[in-house]
Amino acid sequence: MSFSGSLIQNAIYIAQQPPEWPISSDDWERAAEERLDPGAFGYIAGGAGAEETMRANLDAFRNWRLRPRMLTGNVTRDLSVEVLGLRSPAPFLLAPLGVLSIAHAEAEVGVAKAAASSGVPMVLSSAATHSLEEVAATGAPRWFQLYWVSDREICASFVKRAEDAGYGAIVVTLDTLTLGWRPRDLRHAYLPFLQGEGCGQFFTDPVFLARLDKPPEEDVLAAAAMMLATFPNLGLTWDDLDWLRAETTLPLLVKGVLTSDDAALALEHGVDGVIVSNHGGRQVDGAVAALDALVEVRDALPDAVVLMDGGIRTAADVLKAMALGADAVLLGRPYAFALAVGGQRGVEELIQNLMAELDLNLALVGAHSVRELDRTWLTRA
């Protein structure tokens, strides 16, 4: 499958005027900050503590340099990947981001429509404002992300609903069994769930609704409080994965792994893949950068299905992660900023431009496919 980044680039130059939409990740972020109120922007852009982990995620990519190869005859190039039966025309997926309704009214449905039009899959969050059934109706290629709340019956209901709605895998987030200390949110006393934002999976779930005295539309604060009460779940152990594995025949991935030991334990308990992630620096301040953890996990488990997220901003970042062993990466904050700026159209524009940048970079480094990249294409800075 060939995608021409030159066509996208040339169209901008031929127009002889600045493009309608932002170009770089930084441009999207600045434009989003202008449009969003401080609480909403801080929730999307912020991290835990002093935000050292956020910075480490970005800095880790600067520690590697690409080694271009000349005259390889790569007239056509292939950006596509396939992971556990999920195909993408690009080596990235849209990461599970909760509460996207604070960015734009189209929220997860807008993102899903962009995923459907581009073919780039999305991973829908448990903390979405739109239900998993609404998102499925868009036809987007998709996986479902599960926050493992303290009520097993709710978890089982979510998994069953995802199966029935045609989601291709379950992605279990392991690193958010309670919320991290997030100063930006605390300064604004900003927790959007209390207004019913990000509660869509719960407010449409028959098991959860049966727990309430009144339906959410009659008492949204009580319903939101009930949902939040299910989140601290620090008693979970690896043995609990055996129960979840038995609940579904879908591929099961765990997200939030940062050590090779944990990745090996996950595989021992029947998961089909691991996503190396520190939640974009939103949970443990001072934690290891996701890219550095990817190196450790891939070295220890050369044959495992391994994805990563955290700090992906440019095509070079994607290529470096692929060369260091990722089967694909997940793109997070940039598409949330694009959604804030332009809804579905903004996300489509971001995806198109990142694919164009990827194709041009792949051409210039001399590769024919993102799948051929390995560490021989890199050197330490």
Side-chain angles (χ1 to χ4, degrees):
M1 182 185 302
S2 181
F3 176 93
S4 177
S6 295
L7 292 177
I8 306 300
Q9 180 172 257
N10 291 344
I12 294 173
Y13 289 135
I14 290 170
Q16 297 188 45
Q17 60 184 8
E20 176 184 359
W21 299 98
I23 293 295
S24 73
S25 175
D26 288 344
D27 294 342
W28 284 107
E29 183 171 355
R30 284 191 292 269
E33 187 172 12
E34 293 174 359
R35 285 164 173 76
L36 297 175
D37 66 67
F41 178 77
Y43 188 88
I44 297 167
E51 300 186 345
E52 289 183 6
T53 304
M54 282 178 54
R55 289 190 291 275
N57 280 345
L58 298 172
D59 291 344
F61 287 95
R62 313 293 86 80
N63 293 331
W64 294 93
R65 293 287 183 265
L66 291 160
R67 301 176 65 232
R69 301 175 185 180
M70 300 298 110
L71 303 181
T72 61
N74 61 343
V75 175
T76 60
R77 295 152 304 280
D78 188 354
L79 302 179
S80 68
V81 295
E82 182 173 343
V83 181
L84 298 175
L86 183 73
R87 292 190 58 81
S88 174
F92 60 87
L93 287 63
L94 303 180
L97 298 183
V99 209
L100 287 174
S101 54
I102 67 173
H104 194 279
E106 293 178 8
E108 298 82 18
V109 167
V111 174
K113 289 179 178 178
S117 66
S118 67
V120 171
M122 72 177 294
V123 186
L124 178 67
S125 174
S126 285
T129 298
H130 289 287
S131 73
L132 58 88
E133 289 84 5
E134 288 179 277
V135 168
T138 67
R142 59 198 180 274
W143 287 348
F144 179 71
Q145 176 267 337
L146 176 70
Y147 278 125
W148 197 332
V149 297
S150 57
D151 190 321
R152 273 194 174 184
E153 292 184 0
I154 292 175
C155 286
S157 182
F158 279 12
V159 169
K160 177 65 163 55
R161 289 170 61 195
E163 288 181 339
D164 291 346
Y167 286 75
I170 303 295
V171 176
V172 188
T173 295
L174 304 181
D175 59 16
T176 312
L177 303 180
T178 191
L179 286 181
W181 182 263
R182 301 173 183 174
R184 293 204 211 191
D185 298 342
L186 292 166
R187 290 187 194 108
H188 293 104
Y190 188 81
L191 189 64
F193 302 102
L194 294 175
Q195 283 72 51
E197 307 276 7
C199 300
Q201 310 311 346
F202 292 83
F203 288 4
T204 56
D205 189 77
V207 174
F208 178 80
L209 293 174
R211 305 278 196 269
L212 300 176
D213 294 327
K214 296 180 180 179
E217 59 269 23
E218 293 183 16
D219 192 343
V220 66
L221 185 59
M226 176 74 79
M227 187 204 84
L228 291 171
T230 67
F231 263 87
N233 196 18
L234 291 165
L236 280 177
T237 71
W238 288 107
D239 290 339
D240 290 300
L241 261 182
D242 298 333
W243 169 80
L244 187 60
R245 175 67 283 176
E247 285 293 308
T248 182
T249 58
L250 290 176
L252 185 64
L253 300 94
V254 290
K255 182 175 182 290
V257 170
L258 291 171
T259 68
S260 57
D261 290 341
D262 277 354
L265 280 168
L267 295 176
E268 289 173 14
H269 285 274
V271 308
D272 301 286
V274 299
I275 301 177
V276 175
S277 172
N278 55 33
H279 214 95
R282 292 172 60 77
Q283 285 298 93
V284 180
D285 194 33
V288 62
L291 191 70
D292 294 337
L294 169 66
V295 174
E296 175 183 333
V297 170
R298 179 51 81 198
D299 282 347
L301 302 168
D303 299 321
V305 173
V306 179
L307 294 80
M308 70 83 63
D309 71 18
I312 300 289
R313 297 293 184 271
T314 68
D317 297 338
V318 178
L319 298 183
K320 290 173 185 179
M322 296 292 289
L324 288 171
D327 293 303
V329 302
L330 280 72
L331 184 71
R333 286 183 178 91
Y335 89 77
F337 295 138
L339 178 71
V341 174
Q344 173 189 344
R345 185 69 190 90
V347 179
E348 290 171 340
E349 189 75 14
L350 173 79
I351 290 171
Q352 172 186 269
N353 285 352
L354 182 54
M355 288 182 67
E357 186 188 3
L358 271 164
D359 179 60
L360 290 171
N361 272 30
L362 199 65
L364 291 168
V365 299
H368 294 79
S369 167
V370 291
R371 300 187 302 279
E372 77 183 76
L373 299 175
D374 58 26
R375 293 187 196 178
T376 65
W377 294 81
L378 296 175
T379 188
R380 281 278 188 181

